[in-house]
Amino acid sequence: MIKIVGLCGSPLKGSTEYVLEQALAAAKAFAPDEIETELISVHGKKISPCVGCGYCKKNKTWCCIKDDMQEIFDKIAHADGLLVASPVYVMTATPQIHAIASRMRPAMHCYPGMLRNKFFAAIAVGGTRNGGQEVTIDDICHLFATRSMNMVSNEVGGYTGAKVWTADGGPEAAAADTIGMKTALDLGGKLAEVCLTYDLGKKALAQREPAR
Ligand SMILES: Cc1cc2nc3c(=O)[nH]c(=O)nc-3n(C[C@H](O)[C@H](O)[C@H](O)COP(=O)(O)O)c2cc1C
């Protein structure tokens, strides 16, 4: 079974969560018997940013800050694909998404290779039509590619990720942006396709050669 986790970076249960739900449904629809999805949200969670104390690198272990990040990281660690959705906050992803990416530092420095076979894709939901969705997608791509995950791009019209415009009107307004919603659905399906294809390829490779 392929696991695709949707990470919602909005502190609210609002338009971003709605868009992510729809994109995850599109991922599931790609191969219903082979793909399972789960949505996790920063809503109601305490996630501090990395404070650069160096504890993880020095002790080759997980972060010493005790909050909800461990639970989020466990979900990411067990996922094949991560669909990262963020509202646009001041032309970038939310501080919560930045906090998560900064706290994933041990995955690079203490457990190298842990995330290298995982894929991610980016969804940005903004209140203004051209309010920074593209910049936010770039932001998400930099954050998670830096954590050695592999970016999945979108289909025609979506380019690097999915871009939805809400006019600050919540889920209903997001749903009304049919062009933007198509980019989210396309992206969910594409991420599922890439994860499934990669998994099948890995299994085929394992039959040909000694396991890598
Ligand atoms: C602190 C803050 C900053 C924001 N900055 C932007 C922005 O730069 N560009 C934009 O298009 N929308 C901006 N918005 C609007 C949100 O992106 C928009 O309302 C979005 O639909 C909220 O998603 P949510 O309902 O999932 O929280 C901002 C909202 C907040 C609260």
Side-chain angles (χ1 to χ4, degrees):
M1 205 65 164
I2 297 295
K3 180 85 186 259
I4 296 188
V5 167
L7 172 61
C8 182
S10 174
L12 306 176
K13 293 182 80 64
S15 50
T16 308
E17 189 166 296
Y18 167 78
V19 174
L20 184 55
E21 280 167 358
Q22 302 303 309
L24 287 173
K28 173 88 182 155
F30 181 79
D33 296 337
E34 290 160 289
I35 288 171
E36 63 178 25
T37 62
E38 180 179 359
L39 191 151
I40 57 172
S41 174
V42 303
H43 169 76
K45 292 199 173 63
K46 188 174 181 318
I47 307 157
S48 304
C50 173
V51 293
C53 69
Y55 177 90
C56 61
K57 276 183 89 172
K58 190 169 155 217
N59 296 291
K60 291 273 173 264
T61 188
W62 188 247
C63 180
C64 58
I65 301 172
K66 299 296 172 222
D67 59 12
D68 294 321
M69 181 57 201
Q70 184 66 58
E71 177 193 333
I72 289 183
F73 188 76
D74 283 346
K75 299 283 185 192
I76 295 173
H78 290 101
D80 299 286
L82 185 67
L83 200 44
V84 184
S86 179
V88 181
Y89 272 17
V90 203
M91 297 283 285
T92 56
T94 56
Q96 289 83 353
I97 289 289
H98 280 259
I100 288 170
S102 72
R103 293 281 298 286
M104 286 167 69
R105 199 172 188 223
M108 300 295 297
H109 295 290
C110 309
Y111 309 103
M114 190 179 199
L115 301 176
R116 70 181 286 269
N117 294 326
K118 298 186 188 298
F119 294 88
F120 75 93
I123 298 174
V125 178
T128 303
R129 184 194 286 276
N130 299 308
Q133 285 88 340
E134 289 193 336
V135 183
T136 300
I137 287 168
D138 286 355
D139 193 27
I140 293 169
C141 290
H142 285 137
L143 291 170
F144 289 86
T146 302
R147 294 299 174 232
S148 75
M149 296 175 77
N150 307 292
M151 180 196 156
V152 171
S153 63
N154 210 343
E155 296 303 299
V156 175
Y159 302 104
T160 47
K163 308 167 200 96
V164 178
W165 168 45
T166 66
D168 294 333
E172 282 178 15
D177 177 19
T178 51
I179 294 172
M181 285 307 297
K182 183 176 184 309
T183 66
L185 302 188
D186 285 350
L187 191 65
K190 176 88 174 285
L191 181 62
E193 180 185 347
V194 170
C195 289
L196 187 56
T197 306
Y198 183 78
D199 186 63
L200 292 170
K202 257 195 320 194
K203 285 173 183 152
L205 197 63
Q207 297 209 327
R208 270 201 328 177
E209 300 172 4
R212 295 182 177 205

